[in-house]
Amino acid sequence: KERISYIKSSMIKRFSFEYAFSTVLADKNNNEIVPLYVSPSGWKVIMIEFLPFMYRKNAIEKAVYLLNSKGISPLIAHIERYGMTEKFWVELKEKYSAFLQVGLKTFAKTFFDAKKKHAIKLLELGIIDNASTDLHSTEQFKLVEKGLDFILKKFPNLKEQLFSISFES
């Protein structure tokens, strides 16, 4: 209970679920997709996660293109896992309406962790739109707390951006 109170008091919360991206999702009628957020300009925002077999640049770009063609802006979850360069993510955001998310647990890792270094670089570039708890068990609270502490100390100016309730494309 104490950990939950700490996390609640430390950030603005946004509860959501993610779609495992597949072509079935891209083929769905726009009205069948439950958005996380609808922007004032009418774009629907949904959170998606790519399955390991889609961890390729062309697959990710095609997915974002398909969703954009339906008026949907994806919030791409766990981008630190996909092994794409910083340049790829910057160019994706310049070309399409897409939002990027990193997991707080990534920032709880040691300084030498490659995913953590990559996520820090993406934060420094200012292209991360959201940070997530990605909790799957109560044992993960300490990792989330540690990652949250890291973000709030190293990037205090990003608190509103990373934990806001709204998105704009």
Side-chain angles (χ1 to χ4, degrees):
K1 286 182 181 181
E2 288 174 28
R3 289 186 184 130
I4 291 171
S5 294
Y6 172 75
I7 290 171
K8 282 181 176 179
S9 67
S10 299
M11 69 174 114
I12 299 168
K13 59 186 175 184
R14 180 187 319 143
F15 292 101
S16 61
F17 59 92
E18 61 199 19
Y19 290 96
F21 185 83
S22 70
T23 54
V24 172
L25 177 62
D27 292 338
K28 276 189 178 277
N29 181 312
N30 199 5
N31 295 327
E32 295 175 16
I33 297 172
V34 179
L36 163 67
Y37 176 78
V38 179
S39 75
S41 57
W43 279 84
K44 290 183 178 181
V45 178
I46 64 168
M47 186 185 326
I48 63 171
E49 179 175 357
F50 293 104
L51 301 173
F53 66 87
M54 290 190 71
Y55 286 13
R56 296 182 317 277
K57 291 178 184 181
N58 62 340
I60 292 172
E61 188 167 352
K62 181 179 179 184
V64 174
Y65 169 80
L66 288 170
L67 291 169
N68 278 190
S69 71
K70 294 180 157 286
I72 298 170
S73 297
L75 169 62
I76 304 172
H78 318 301
I79 66 164
E80 70 276 17
R81 296 180 185 172
Y82 301 134
M84 303 300 159
T85 65
E86 291 88 7
K87 181 181 178 194
F88 170 79
W89 295 116
V90 168
E91 289 175 355
L92 186 81
K93 285 189 65 123
E94 288 172 352
K95 192 171 180 181
Y96 301 102
S97 176
F99 302 100
L100 307 178
Q101 179 195 75
V102 293
L104 287 171
K105 291 183 288 187
T106 300
F107 298 101
K109 297 179 179 188
T110 68
F111 182 73
F112 300 104
D113 183 82
K115 289 178 184 174
K116 180 177 181 177
K117 284 183 176 184
H118 181 61
I120 290 169
K121 180 68 174 166
L122 294 169
L123 282 172
E124 289 170 345
L125 289 170
I127 63 168
I128 300 299
D129 301 290
N130 185 259
S132 70
T133 57
D134 194 33
L135 285 171
H136 295 276
S137 69
T138 55
E139 289 80 36
Q140 296 176 335
F141 277 123
K142 287 185 180 192
L143 293 174
V144 170
E145 287 176 339
K146 187 174 178 182
L148 180 61
D149 286 342
F150 178 87
I151 292 281
L152 294 177
K153 288 176 185 164
K154 184 154 176 73
F155 299 97
N157 57 320
L158 294 181
K159 182 179 177 181
E160 186 65 30
Q161 175 182 328
L162 297 176
F163 305 109
S164 172
I165 192 68
S166 64
F167 295 95
E168 276 310 310
S169 51

